[in-house]
Amino acid sequence: MTQEKVIGQRKPRQDVLAKSTGAFVYGMDFQIPGQLYGAILRSPHPHALIRSVDASRAQALAGVEAVLTAKDLPAGLLMPGVVCDQPLLASDRARYHGEPIAAVAAQSPDLAQQALGLIVVDYQPLPAIIDAETATADESLLVHEAWETYQAEEGLVRWRNVCCHAALNKGDVERGFASADEIIEGTYTTESVHQSHLEPRVATAVVLPGEVPTVYSNTQLLYWIRTNVAHVLGVPEEQVRIVPTGIGGAFGSKLYPQIEPLTALLSRVAGKAVRMVVPLSDELLAGVPRHPTKTRLKTAVMRDGTLVAQQATMYLDGGAYTGSTPEIASVAVLCLAGPYRTPNVHIDVYGVLTNKTNFGAYRGPGGPYSVFALETHLDEVAARIGMDPLDLRLKNILGEGDEAANGQILTSVGLRETVERATQAIGWREAAATNRGKGISLGWWTTTLQRSTSEALLDANGKVVIRVGTNEMGTGAIMGGVRQVAAETMGLDVDDVLIDVEDTLSGLWDWGSQGSRTLANVGRAAQFACQDLRLKILSLAEKLLETERERLDLAGGEVFSIDNPEEKITLKALAQLSPEGILRSRAESNAEPATYDKSRLTSCLYPAFHHPSYHCHVAEVEVDPGTGMTRVLRYVAAHDIGRAINPTLIEGQIEGGVVQGIGMALMEEVLYDKQGFRTNINWTDYKLPTLADMPEIESIIVEHPTNLGPYGSKGLGESPALHPPAAVANAIGAATGKRFRSLPITPEKIALA
Amino acid sequence: MRPFEYHEPTSIEAASELLAEHGSDAAALAGGTALLIDMRHGELQPRHVVSLWKIPGLGKFHTNGGLRIGALLTVTELGDALRDPATLGLREAARMLGSWQVQNMATVGGNICKASPGADLVPPLLCLDARLSLRSAGSEREVPVDGFLTGPDQTALRPAELLVSILIPQPPPHTGTAFLKIMRRQALDCSIVSVCARVTLEDDGLTCKEARIGLAAVAPNPIRSLRAEVALAGKRLEDATIREAAQLARSEARPITDVRASADYRSHLVGVLLERAIRKAADRAREGKGN
Amino acid sequence: MTAAMTISLTVNGQTHALEIEPQETLLHVLRARLGLTGTKANCEEGECGACTVLLDGQPVNSCLLLAVRAEGSRIQTIEGVAEDGQLTPLQEAFAAEGAIQCGYCTPGFLLTTAALLSANPHPTDEEITHALSGNICRCTGYTKIVKAVRQAAAKGVQA
């Protein structure tokens, strides 16, 4: 086996130079001369009937060139989704504080705001449904009175305010409880947290007669934006062009078509380009943050630490529309089961509609709150039987070839190694000083699949260009990882490979930069395309060098004869001699999903973790008993990612995810008051971790390769965010002797406990 | 932000006249870190903004038997100028105000006159018996900072009057100050509670001759705790004395519950933080060393 | 009711005469009137530091500074850091150390760090924390940013 040249190396990314000089163009920097400025009028009520909307004075304001209300849209227009229940603009009812009611486009941002102020809406406020658990009751008010009429994906179990009931059953929990030595119960709650990407959400639409409808967007999923824009414009998807702009952070938030369809319609009405920026206050008011949750866990354990039965009931507060909640509920099922051998498991996750913003995908959707519940609960289980939390884990975790709770068989299982190395690195067995404690969390996570398409071509200078259909959002997966994979496959250094992110007219269909899938799937497609391109290059070289293809190799930018290396030709010369012009090759990755036992799951849209990654985090904290302030001193994170393509990128994901997770653990919360109004809609009152809040983080890379991503790699982007709330909560428990079952664990909660 | 007319007077008199002419339609611009946010949110909509930056002499710092701090001295400049154990509490408050960027823009005068309940610089200024030099076109007066703040966002400034400098009398020998601030995270936040303690020791280095206690974010404006100060004066600083003083300060605090914290937690923090601040101030008074 | 005024701003060594309205912030003037989009915008309330520029060598939040107030000062933005396309050692350290992911916070961090190291070439951890806590990063978890800063300080790099 040849030694790899660039895989595993800390190679530079293609985009960092431009980012270090201010030259890089983000969505926020992209403007079109003559553009109009779009703005959205949002519901000031959490729940209200809309009796009338009068936009005539806004229409009449000089400089306003488009106004949209529900009556300007096709009647009954609902947006695509697992359940089609969401309008583009609210018509007869506003269902959350901040829901879009109307949109305008005007010649200046100030005029647009003025126009919004002239739209008169007659609301009749209604009581708001704000508690997910009580919203499941038969006597609860309905968020959607017409829920039965909506088109929904087959197999989805839903009723009234429950938009999805995902369930897993393995064995017989009642029998398990009957046979156990100890039964431990607990209820765990978490608040919503917001992605808070530094760059706002921005889209610029150009929908002019006779031209391809075009939207420039800083989205992380071009093709889903295309689907939604095409849907509202009433044109085939292939005729819509979504163009990627630079992205300043996304974390799941920029998967959603929050503004592109509206901006496209405004542009069509106005006959001009329309640019819309979502101001931070609106993004915090009515974005797509993480689901709030309440989870009840009941575990049966033997005195020797064997987990015998586990029952979990989770209420996943989904907000006003179904959105991604069913899929996320399904992921939560798998996270609540955890990578454990427990023979009897019953899990119910209820995705519940309430009068709040649509909660949705934020780095590891379904994950951190499930892991928080399970892993802090397991510490309580360990305490009950007087066992070290680490030993309880080691006794029950799954290994190579074992079956997970959903029946999938696990391979490339690096879990035990992550646990051993992480606990070793932090000195788990060493006694902690006063007011200090260590906490552990471990788990498994998916590498999302679906299709990615890539094209590799050899340009006239002998450089390889890799064209992809999804954008770099900051992780380095595209501009770093995919580039390295392509370089390795083509025998080049990274500087000779150029990554080009294409708009949707390229047809390079891609399920996007999300779900820990990017490097594995886009990299795989690129690798296939490069392998094909390599064959074409060698076939051409065969003719040019008059040597059999099998006796030729490609390295260092040259094709050469293995038997006589002086017989060679540079890629540049070869490219220029190509009779068919530019050599290119297009390939697709659409890997097989993991198989599992269907009989154990109901209404689970994400039923298995594909090529799972495994991870273990350990945090050491110091708690000031007087003020309750927690300082995370040291943090060790071990991740089995199959194969490390670039350690710098891996560490970057781990460190970034850990600090986001510390935010969720200690300080971040999206607050709704008792009437359903959002209260903290700026970064003054939604606290993000600063540099002063950062611990010393040690990243440990574990490699148990799998046959998915290039060179055996598995996904990574999300898993680092799964564990900090649990690890930190467990550490606080060890430091203070008190358990905290709700997030965030603020200094106030600790001081007054 | 609503458009406004911008003025750059070159003297205190001219500034004062502009403020008199436009009354509540005018706002004075110092650092702008609070004003611009209020204007962007529509809480303040002045038609006239009167910049103070072309007025000579407002940004100076003199040490000559005490400190004379120009109202437009930035928070960074203030922090950088203070090294004495007696004024370290004020330096600590300066360095914990907002961020470095904000400290470079915000001014000492602005922090006082904005009169936030949690104004970071005020507890140390209370502890140091600071006085304020106020001027208008026709008058000059000097008032103690204690009593100058009359409610949230309210001061005793008369119409068309400007704060021009802050005077800190020479602290007595064996004086130390210490400032502590608790936030929702480790940096860049308004106070949940902040406290400053000043201890002046007798020559024996053990007996507190005199103390000052300043608290912020536990009342409509930062306050002193006279009961705590009296409890410390003339006493040896033993644990029980310090604890009693801290609890007396708690009794004088009137915290509320808001988005940042509950009243209970704030009250609790006063006790915890003050004990620490008193000890630290006493250590500084004893050691007489710089930072 | 607007009252346009002409001001002169010196940005990255070049002086510009601009007609502006008094309520325009320096951030807006840099991005919209001078086309210098390297300085970034979002929170507009001094909470994120993405809009940081150097004013006479000191980092400030340009979203909270009226443009007219910057008249007569030396303004430096990220575009004025590299000379003739040559990256500074600090920019190279950030790029090489993985301190840049999405990069939106990077201009702010680079300028604040340059100001720190100019005034204090060998800052302690406490001084680094004090200087950089006003710059929020959501991607990197700060670890590699601090590493790049420490490395630059160790090499005696000032910008």
Side-chain angles (χ1 to χ4, degrees):
Chain A
M1 172 145 117
T2 47
Q3 180 71 343
E4 283 123 11
K5 298 250 167 33
V6 301
I7 297 302
Q9 306 285 319
R10 296 178 187 269
K11 289 290 179 182
R13 293 164 47 154
Q14 183 173 303
D15 54 346
V16 284
L17 293 185
K19 286 175 174 175
S20 67
T21 62
F24 189 85
V25 179
Y26 295 89
M28 194 60 174
D29 305 320
F30 179 79
Q31 315 260 4
I32 290 185
Q35 71 198 6
L36 300 173
Y37 299 86
I40 294 175
L41 180 71
R42 296 179 179 275
S43 168
H45 299 287
H47 197 194
L49 295 177
I50 297 173
R51 293 227 169 282
S52 65
V53 180
D54 179 359
S56 55
R57 287 174 63 213
Q59 287 274 19
L61 182 65
V64 173
E65 303 200 17
V67 176
L68 289 173
T69 67
K71 51 172 154 351
D72 301 307
L73 307 175
L77 176 77
L78 295 169
M79 302 305 287
V82 166
V83 175
C84 297
D85 61 2
Q86 186 164 15
L88 186 60
L89 293 170
S91 57
D92 58 303
R93 189 183 280 242
R95 293 189 172 86
Y96 62 95
H97 184 193
E99 180 168 12
I101 309 294
V104 305
Q107 288 167 7
S108 74
D110 280 348
L111 272 174
Q113 288 302 315
Q114 237 189 299
L116 294 186
L118 294 174
I119 299 175
V120 181
V121 184
D122 182 11
Y123 294 103
Q124 184 188 315
L126 298 169
I129 299 149
I130 59 162
D131 180 75
E133 187 174 6
T134 56
T136 64
D138 284 338
E139 57 275 13
S140 170
L141 283 179
L142 287 172
V143 179
H144 289 264
E145 294 186 339
W147 68 272
E148 283 177 286
T149 66
Y150 296 139
Q151 215 181 313
E153 193 158 311
E154 225 176 283
L156 194 62
V157 174
R158 56 189 274 268
W159 69 92
R160 297 175 55 84
N161 290 326
V162 176
C163 67
C164 173
H165 172 201
L168 180 152
N169 192 71
K170 172 186 171 190
D172 181 341
V173 286
E174 291 309 323
R175 197 125 50 96
F177 290 133
S179 70
D181 290 335
E182 295 281 355
I183 294 181
I184 296 92
E185 293 185 66
T187 303
Y188 307 85
T189 60
T190 67
E191 295 298 340
S192 171
V193 289
H194 187 275
Q195 299 88 341
S196 287
H197 30 84
L198 260 275
E199 184 212 15
R201 193 188 302 270
V202 189
T204 306
V206 188
V207 182
L208 307 176
E211 291 184 22
V212 174
T214 301
V215 183
Y216 300 83
S217 168
N218 58 7
T219 181
Q220 53 189 124
L221 180 44
L222 297 164
Y223 288 84
W224 180 236
I225 301 303
R226 182 179 81 163
T227 299
N228 281 268
V229 170
H231 183 73
V232 305
L233 292 179
V235 305
E237 284 194 33
E238 294 71 24
Q239 288 174 20
V240 170
R241 181 171 165 237
I242 309 298
V243 184
T245 64
I247 306 176
F251 313 111
S253 167
K254 293 176 179 170
L255 291 168
Y256 297 93
Q258 297 282 88
I259 55 174
E260 291 82 355
L262 268 177
T263 311
L265 279 176
L266 287 169
S267 176
R268 185 160 74 179
V269 169
K272 288 184 183 167
V274 176
R275 181 176 195 256
M276 190 177 306
V277 179
V278 179
L280 181 63
S281 52
D282 278 3
E283 186 63 58
L284 288 171
L285 168 67
V288 198
R290 201 183 283 293
H291 290 68
T293 67
K294 179 197 283 187
T295 307
R296 293 208 178 81
L297 287 173
K298 179 176 174 184
T299 298
V301 67
M302 305 307 278
R303 232 159 266 125
D304 72 352
T306 308
L307 294 172
V308 172
Q310 174 133 304
Q311 186 172 293
T313 306
M314 174 185 269
Y315 297 95
L316 193 64
D317 185 340
Y321 297 96
T322 302
S324 315
T325 295
E327 198 181 346
I328 292 174
S330 179
V331 173
V333 165
L334 297 177
C335 285
L336 284 170
Y340 293 103
R341 302 178 183 290
T342 318
N344 304 290
V345 179
H346 185 86
I347 299 173
D348 292 297
V349 177
Y350 299 98
V352 187
L353 299 169
T354 61
N355 291 116
K356 298 180 194 155
T357 195
N358 260 32
F359 298 105
Y362 173 10
R363 198 172 194 165
Y369 33 75
S370 307
V371 173
F372 168 72
L374 176 65
E375 291 292 305
T376 57
H377 182 71
L378 286 177
D379 264 30
E380 294 185 46
V381 170
R384 177 75 69 84
I385 58 174
M387 196 171 192
D388 184 306
L390 169 59
D391 293 331
L392 178 70
R393 291 344 191 262
L394 289 171
K395 190 160 179 67
N396 289 280
I397 53 175
L398 294 167
E400 190 72 29
D402 284 343
E403 185 196 83
N406 64 345
Q408 72 176 91
I409 304 295
L410 302 178
T411 56
S412 306
V413 184
L415 182 57
R416 185 163 293 260
E417 189 182 341
T418 66
V419 176
E420 285 168 351
R421 289 179 63 183
T423 51
Q424 167 101 350
I426 203 144
W428 178 264
R429 306 279 185 200
E430 291 158 23
T434 322
N435 296 323
R436 289 191 182 183
K438 300 186 195 78
I440 192 172
S441 174
L442 62 86
W444 65 321
W445 187 253
T446 188
T447 307
T448 296
L449 299 177
Q450 305 277 3
R451 193 158 45 106
S452 283
T453 323
S454 176
E455 187 177 81
L457 63 88
L458 187 69
D459 77 7
N461 285 311
K463 308 291 187 199
V464 169
V465 178
I466 305 295
R467 306 173 70 226
V468 298
T470 188
N471 205 354
E472 171 62 65
M473 58 169 167
T475 64
I478 300 286
M479 292 297 170
V482 171
R483 190 164 82 140
Q484 272 173 257
V485 166
E488 186 72 49
T489 311
M490 301 305 295
L492 293 168
D493 203 348
V494 294
D495 287 334
D496 295 322
V497 176
L498 178 72
I499 305 285
D500 221 346
V501 180
E502 305 292 340
D503 68 41
T504 58
L505 283 185
S506 69
L508 292 167
W509 202 93
D510 204 301
W511 188 228
S513 305
Q514 58 159 328
S516 305
R517 71 177 297 279
T518 316
L519 179 42
N521 292 271
V522 182
R524 187 163 179 265
Q527 194 177 33
F528 291 163
C530 284
Q531 284 164 354
D532 243 28
L533 179 64
R534 214 188 127 91
L535 282 178
K536 288 187 173 160
I537 287 170
L538 292 181
S539 294
L540 178 56
E542 188 177 62
K543 297 192 183 75
L544 297 172
L545 295 176
E546 293 177 334
T547 307
E548 270 177 41
R549 204 171 70 180
E550 289 67 37
R551 301 310 304 159
L552 291 173
D553 200 3
L554 169 58
E558 295 176 329
V559 182
F560 58 92
S561 160
I562 295 169
D563 304 314
N564 182 8
E566 288 312 303
E567 285 278 317
K568 61 186 177 177
I569 181 167
T570 66
L571 284 178
K572 180 171 179 172
L574 186 141
Q576 305 200 340
L577 291 170
S578 163
E580 54 182 278
I582 303 251
L583 292 175
R584 61 175 79 226
S585 215
R586 185 176 275 226
E588 185 181 284
S589 168
N590 202 356
E592 279 300 305
T595 53
Y596 61 97
D597 182 350
K598 291 188 164 71
S599 70
R600 298 189 196 181
L601 299 176
T602 34
S603 194
C604 283
L605 273 74
Y606 204 114
F609 282 170
H610 319 290
H611 300 272
S613 59
Y614 302 91
H615 6 89
C616 179
H617 289 199
V618 187
E620 183 180 18
V621 306
E622 183 173 70
V623 179
D624 180 323
T627 64
M629 290 221 59
T630 299
R631 209 175 252 288
V632 185
L633 299 172
R634 282 188 307 152
Y635 197 101
V636 178
H639 282 253
D640 166 18
I641 42 75
R643 181 67 201 277
I645 304 297
N646 182 327
T648 299
L649 301 183
I650 290 168
E651 292 159 2
Q653 288 311 291
I654 291 174
E655 291 154 5
V658 164
V659 174
Q660 283 188 343
I662 286 174
M664 181 172 176
L666 298 178
M667 66 192 78
E668 292 182 40
E669 47 183 333
V670 169
L671 292 167
Y672 280 88
D673 70 14
K674 291 191 168 52
Q675 285 71 44
F677 292 91
R678 280 283 287 112
T679 56
N680 58 340
I681 58 169
N682 50 38
W683 280 339
T684 304
D685 288 322
Y686 182 82
K687 311 306 299 188
L688 302 172
T690 67
L691 192 149
D693 299 288
M694 167 201 90
E696 292 281 339
I697 302 172
E698 182 183 337
S699 302
I700 296 174
I701 296 174
V702 170
E703 293 176 309
H704 285 239
T706 185
N707 60 339
L708 171 68
Y711 305 95
S713 54
K714 312 187 231 192
L716 169 68
E718 298 166 292
S719 52
L722 299 180
H723 299 290
V728 168
N730 283 338
I732 291 173
T736 63
K738 297 179 187 147
R739 306 295 323 175
F740 292 91
R741 295 178 173 179
S742 74
L743 294 180
I745 305 172
T746 59
E748 174 163 341
K749 279 183 186 168
I750 294 177
L752 299 183
Chain B
M1 224 188 298
R2 183 198 280 194
F4 50 81
E5 210 177 305
Y6 187 73
H7 307 269
E8 292 179 292
T10 54
S11 69
I12 291 172
E13 290 69 30
S16 177
E17 276 156 20
L18 280 165
L19 292 175
E21 184 186 340
H22 299 293
S24 59
D25 267 344
L29 175 66
T33 55
L35 180 63
L36 259 67
I37 295 176
D38 286 344
M39 287 172 70
R40 211 172 259 132
H41 291 172
E43 279 161 39
L44 287 174
Q45 300 197 335
R47 293 187 184 281
H48 298 270
V49 169
V50 180
S51 164
L52 303 178
W53 292 92
K54 295 267 163 78
I55 302 171
L58 291 185
K60 297 222 191 302
F61 180 83
H62 297 290
T63 55
N64 186 8
L67 305 174
R68 180 180 277 274
I69 302 167
L72 291 190
L73 200 73
T74 68
V75 173
T76 291
E77 287 166 339
L78 177 70
D80 286 349
L82 302 171
R83 297 292 165 155
D84 216 75
T87 52
L88 276 182
L90 185 54
R91 173 180 155 84
E92 286 165 330
R95 286 175 69 79
M96 290 188 84
L97 188 156
S99 61
W100 189 26
Q101 288 91 331
V102 168
Q103 291 162 22
N104 290 331
M105 303 165 75
T107 63
V108 182
N111 191 245
I112 296 168
C113 292
K114 168 65 182 158
S116 291
D120 287 290
L121 301 183
V122 178
L125 291 173
L126 287 169
C127 285
L128 291 166
D129 295 332
R131 301 179 62 75
L132 307 176
S133 174
L134 311 172
R135 279 179 60 187
S136 68
S139 66
E140 262 183 70
R141 58 189 182 119
E142 210 180 88
V143 298
V145 70
D146 192 7
F148 177 70
L149 304 171
T150 57
D153 296 3
Q154 288 167 45
T155 70
L157 277 174
R158 294 183 187 140
E161 201 173 33
L162 288 164
L163 168 62
V164 299
S165 60
I166 298 96
L167 308 147
I168 293 180
Q170 176 79 28
H174 309 304
T175 292
T177 53
F179 172 85
L180 295 172
K181 171 177 173 177
I182 290 296
M183 302 169 275
R184 291 168 288 186
R185 57 186 177 189
Q186 300 284 352
L188 186 51
D189 199 3
C190 312
S191 309
I192 292 179
V193 169
S194 66
V195 309
C196 189
R198 177 189 129 202
V199 170
T200 299
L201 294 172
E202 297 281 9
D203 290 338
D204 69 358
L206 297 169
T207 312
C208 172
K209 183 172 182 177
E210 186 176 45
R212 294 280 184 275
I213 303 292
L215 311 172
V218 293
N221 295 110
I223 56 170
R224 277 169 65 180
S225 170
L226 294 175
R227 281 194 213 154
E229 293 173 10
V230 161
L232 292 170
K235 305 269 190 9
R236 290 181 72 115
L237 287 177
E238 279 150 13
D239 285 354
T241 313
I242 294 174
R243 190 163 306 126
E244 191 206 342
Q247 293 306 310
L248 284 168
R250 261 185 95 171
S251 72
E252 297 205 272
R254 290 134 32 220
I256 59 167
T257 296
D258 67 11
V259 66
R260 283 186 279 283
S262 71
D264 277 350
Y265 180 53
R266 289 188 153 112
S267 173
H268 170 86
L269 279 178
V270 170
V272 169
L273 293 180
L274 256 189
E275 281 194 45
R276 298 179 188 181
I278 292 167
R279 285 199 177 88
K280 204 166 177 190
D283 284 344
R284 286 182 177 159
R286 215 165 280 131
E287 284 158 34
K289 279 204 283 260
N291 192 14
Chain C
M1 176 207 110
T2 67
M5 50 196 304
T6 307
I7 62 167
S8 164
L9 289 183
T10 304
V11 183
N12 301 328
Q14 262 200 305
T15 303
H16 306 266
L18 296 160
E19 196 175 289
I20 62 154
E21 292 180 28
Q23 72 273 12
E24 292 183 45
T25 60
L26 179 61
L27 176 63
H28 176 80
V29 168
L30 288 171
R31 286 180 58 82
R33 291 195 183 278
L34 291 175
L36 295 170
T37 57
T39 306
K40 299 308 178 194
N42 193 349
C43 81
E44 309 251 3
E45 47 181 41
E47 284 285 340
C48 73
C51 69
T52 303
V53 299
L54 297 186
L55 197 71
D56 296 323
Q58 294 292 93
V60 297
N61 292 318
S62 61
C63 70
L64 292 181
L65 191 69
L66 295 179
V68 58
R69 280 264 293 116
E71 196 173 32
S73 290
R74 263 182 311 116
I75 302 161
Q76 187 182 30
T77 70
I78 186 66
E79 289 92 341
V81 170
E83 282 183 38
D84 297 321
Q86 180 66 24
L87 293 192
T88 64
L90 190 62
Q91 283 171 309
E92 283 178 349
F94 267 61
E97 283 304 318
I100 303 175
Q101 288 191 32
C102 86
Y104 204 74
C105 73
T106 301
F109 265 106
L110 281 170
L111 289 168
T112 310
T113 304
L116 168 69
L117 296 179
S118 278
N120 185 355
H122 300 287
T124 63
D125 285 349
E126 192 270 333
E127 286 164 338
I128 293 174
T129 302
H130 172 261
L132 296 179
S133 289
N135 291 83
I136 300 289
C137 174
R138 200 53 166 160
C139 296
T140 67
Y142 305 104
T143 306
K144 293 192 185 312
I145 291 175
V146 172
K147 188 170 180 208
V149 173
R150 283 187 185 141
Q151 246 191 33
K155 283 192 188 151
V157 161
Q158 291 198 359

